[in-house]
Amino acid sequence: MRSIATILAPAIVLATLAATAAAEPVAPPPVKIAVFPFELEDFSAGAAYVPPDDIDREQLRLSTEEVRRLIAASGRYQLVDLSAVNEQAAKAGKLRECEGCEARIAAGVDADQSMIGIVTRITRTEYTVTYKLRDARSGTIVAVDQTDLRMGANVAWSRGARWLIENRLLAQAQGKPLVFAVAEIEYIDTSGEVIDQSADHLRRRRTFEASLRNDLAASGKVRSADLDCPQNACSVGDLTTGQLLDKAQAAGADLLLIGSVQKMSTLVQWAKFDIIDVKARKVVFERLVSFRGDNDEAWRRAELFIAGQIRDREAELMRLATTASPRSP
């Protein structure tokens, strides 16, 4: 007759294996994602005269294929077949203008998320790449991110798209987001121009600030905080740096961005931007840049450059903000 221990041994082994398997973390299933073809947004000076050509379309196709390849290879996503999609906005390459309709289309093919990609041509040799992820059921934006201003004609677009996916979407940390407050920009016009452009300058500054907040928050690593100030009275020209820091601290911000732009002549403007660690009350980032032109495109290019410069230092800024000690009284 076999002993009790001999009879129970297999059961004990099976129970042990089951317990071990239960203790191991189960990887979440891949997110089903609909990655729509990349689209071109042309802000270059010749856009009205030189329409997109076959080379542009081919480079958009290659950018889309590269992004789909990287996303599928990550194991975090499962690509959804879009061959049955027959929506006019998708066929016309206008999903970026349909106010989130790509999420509804993605839900129709049983995707969890939708992604649209946009190549923005600033000049014939300068561009940015943007992706926008939405939850397919609710249409809520899950993530938005953008490269800095990059050099290269259309043959470089896929390289920019690859960099964006590898360094933003697939490298996102899951930690607590950095809280950023952006003060209004001070504007000083010493150009001596006769034409009064104060209304345009005010509009461009507010657009610059809003775009900067959105671009910094796009990665999901940064969250924007609003300063409790009267409208058009929240710049370093209206309040002291100490007062702005107090407001940033009250808003729960880790970092405060302050800026000042001076128009030197009809075509030349200088801009100074500082990021201040709110807890330590010390400058951790500063940039003095010049940009040519005084129109919407020139201001947008300047904003894209500054946002890119900040994002390139994002990891370092997060480390500084989480390790900073309060300033001594």
Side-chain angles (χ1 to χ4, degrees):
M1 180 182 295
R2 291 184 296 171
S3 68
I4 296 294
T6 302
I7 295 172
L8 293 179
I12 295 171
V13 170
L14 289 173
T16 302
L17 290 173
T20 302
E24 292 178 355
V26 179
V31 176
K32 291 186 290 184
I33 186 169
V35 179
F36 292 94
F38 270 53
E39 301 177 2
L40 175 62
E41 185 176 48
D42 197 342
F43 288 153
S44 66
Y49 311 102
V50 184
D53 56 23
D54 289 342
I55 298 177
D56 289 337
R57 286 185 281 273
E58 174 64 7
Q59 296 307 317
L60 289 172
R61 185 188 68 80
L62 292 174
S63 298
T64 304
E65 286 189 355
E66 180 69 358
V67 166
R68 286 174 174 167
R69 181 187 68 80
L70 291 168
I71 286 176
S74 73
R76 291 162 50 181
Y77 297 93
Q78 176 187 336
L79 294 178
V80 172
D81 183 13
L82 297 176
S83 60
V85 171
N86 196 35
E87 295 280 342
Q88 184 58 37
K91 292 194 294 184
K94 298 289 186 181
L95 289 176
R96 67 187 185 279
E97 300 175 359
C98 73
E99 299 182 349
C101 72
E102 71 273 12
R104 173 180 54 78
I105 300 171
V109 291
D110 198 31
D112 301 314
Q113 292 181 1
S114 65
M115 171 186 278
I116 60 172
I118 304 165
V119 175
T120 303
R121 180 153 55 194
I122 307 300
T123 70
R124 302 303 291 191
T125 57
E126 294 176 303
Y127 70 97
T128 65
V129 183
T130 305
Y131 71 74
K132 182 179 294 185
L133 261 66
R134 290 183 184 271
D135 180 86
R137 309 299 178 216
S138 66
T140 303
I141 292 178
V142 176
V144 181
D145 217 325
Q146 185 178 64
T147 67
D148 55 2
L149 190 64
R150 304 179 76 82
M151 300 298 295
N154 47 19
V155 293
W157 293 348
S158 60
R159 184 169 67 244
R162 179 172 64 250
W163 184 95
L164 182 64
I165 296 302
E166 289 178 339
N167 292 276
R168 295 290 185 249
L169 179 66
L170 302 180
Q172 282 183 8
Q174 300 300 317
K176 175 181 175 292
L178 195 64
V179 183
F180 225 110
V182 177
E184 292 175 353
I185 298 170
E186 179 189 28
Y187 195 78
I188 304 167
D189 190 345
T190 58
S191 65
E193 288 184 317
V194 176
I195 300 174
D196 182 4
Q197 299 186 70
S198 55
D200 284 336
H201 290 153
L202 178 60
R203 175 179 58 81
R204 287 171 186 146
R205 282 150 53 201
R206 297 296 90 92
T207 301
F208 186 106
E209 295 150 6
S211 297
L212 188 59
R213 292 186 185 98
N214 290 336
D215 289 344
L216 291 177
S219 68
K221 302 175 186 177
V222 175
R223 181 170 62 81
S224 178
D226 295 327
L227 299 177
D228 184 15
C229 295
Q231 189 175 15
N232 303 325
C234 199
S235 73
V236 289
D238 304 306
L239 301 170
T240 66
T241 301
Q243 289 172 320
L244 288 171
L245 281 168
D246 289 341
K247 291 182 179 296
Q249 185 173 12
D254 300 304
L255 299 171
L256 168 69
L257 184 141
I258 57 176
S260 181
V261 175
Q262 182 173 4
K263 185 170 183 178
M264 307 297 294
S265 67
T266 301
L267 292 176
V268 178
Q269 304 194 77
W270 282 91
K272 176 71 163 64
F273 294 96
D274 291 337
I275 296 176
I276 305 173
D277 186 302
V278 174
K279 187 185 294 183
R281 300 211 164 199
K282 68 177 182 179
V283 175
V284 293
F285 172 99
E286 54 186 337
R287 286 293 183 275
L288 177 64
V289 300
S290 66
F291 61 100
R292 293 182 62 81
D294 187 12
N295 53 32
D296 291 356
E297 180 180 342
W299 279 77
R300 177 57 175 161
R301 288 178 61 183
E303 186 276 325
L304 288 171
F305 177 80
I306 290 299
Q309 291 280 299
I310 295 172
R311 283 199 302 268
D312 286 345
R313 294 278 302 278
E314 197 172 71
E316 181 182 353
L317 291 173
M318 292 185 74
R319 179 183 60 79
L320 290 171
T322 56
T323 58
S325 300
R327 186 187 60 174
S328 300

